[in-house]
Amino acid sequence: MCHTDRMCESASVATESDLTLRPITDSDVSTVLALNAADVAALSPLDHERLTLLRKQAAHALVAEMAGEVVGFVLAFAPGSGYDSDNFAWFGRRYGSRFLYLDRIVVGPAHRRRGIAGRMYDALEDEARAYGRLVCEVNSQPPNPASLAFHTARGYVEVGHLVHAGDHVTVMLRKEMPS
């Protein structure tokens, strides 16, 4: 869902053709699940039931659409959402109610390197101003150097690490977003 109407209206940007961010609808679910499955090595698994729950909890559950085709999606959560992620809880302990948590952002393989993820981040960073910061994590074990470089280039800074079961480690990142 769009947290504010302004985000949905202002998120229309141009890349090679028009890119629009809009709320995930029931008709988008199979595409969103397929996009997540294509990148599951870098994300957590997602099924229909879990996606339904996350859509209800999310401050932003959006698809990126170009020329009528869903090419990506994003899920972001605000404090108090009830989201059960260890990463989300880690940020909650540090920042209380002053953060917007970017859980996942996915762009389909055929549409990468076109600035779509950057446009999605632009819209979320604008929304995060109301919270003071946008936070997220990047895998460091297994490593995800491309994502870490992307975030560093956008001004995200490392604020810690979280070790998960199975030697999975995430680098915790934040970007201050003054209002």
Side-chain angles (χ1 to χ4, degrees):
M1 288 180 274
C2 283
H3 183 64
T4 64
D5 290 336
R6 183 175 50 80
M7 182 173 181
C8 287
E9 292 170 8
S10 68
S12 293
V13 295
T15 55
E16 292 178 15
S17 63
D18 288 339
L19 175 72
T20 302
L21 293 182
R22 61 167 177 77
I24 297 172
T25 65
D26 292 343
S27 64
D28 298 320
V29 168
S30 61
T31 302
V32 167
L33 292 175
L35 287 167
N36 196 87
D39 251 354
V40 77
L43 306 165
S44 58
L46 197 58
D47 61 20
H48 189 277
E49 182 179 344
R50 181 72 173 160
L51 180 57
T52 299
L53 174 65
L54 296 182
R55 285 173 58 197
K56 290 176 184 173
Q57 294 176 330
H60 306 287
L62 308 170
V63 291
E65 189 175 64
M66 277 181 27
E69 178 185 2
V70 172
V71 298
F73 75 96
V74 61
L75 295 171
F77 298 85
S81 68
Y83 185 41
D84 62 358
S85 157
D86 291 340
N87 295 319
F88 179 75
W90 188 94
F91 286 115
R93 288 189 297 274
R94 278 147 187 84
Y95 301 119
S97 64
R98 300 292 302 152
F99 69 98
L100 180 63
Y101 173 68
L102 174 57
D103 179 67
R104 67 188 76 207
I105 189 166
V106 178
V107 176
H111 299 283
R112 293 184 183 150
R113 308 306 242 164
R114 294 182 177 178
I116 295 168
R119 305 290 185 183
M120 294 167 77
Y121 269 83
D122 290 345
L124 282 173
E125 289 171 358
D126 188 48
E127 288 298 309
R129 292 187 193 292
Y131 300 93
R133 64 186 55 87
L134 184 62
V135 298
C136 61
E137 82 287 335
V138 172
N139 291 337
S140 63
Q141 190 59 283
N144 190 341
S147 181
L148 193 55
F150 173 85
H151 286 90
T152 299
R154 288 192 69 90
Y156 287 80
V157 295
E158 182 179 316
V159 293
H161 292 87
L162 184 58
V163 178
H164 303 270
D167 295 328
H168 176 84
V169 180
T170 52
V171 177
M172 311 307 271
L173 302 170
R174 82 161 186 248
K175 182 174 181 179
E176 295 296 321
M177 303 301 305
S179 52

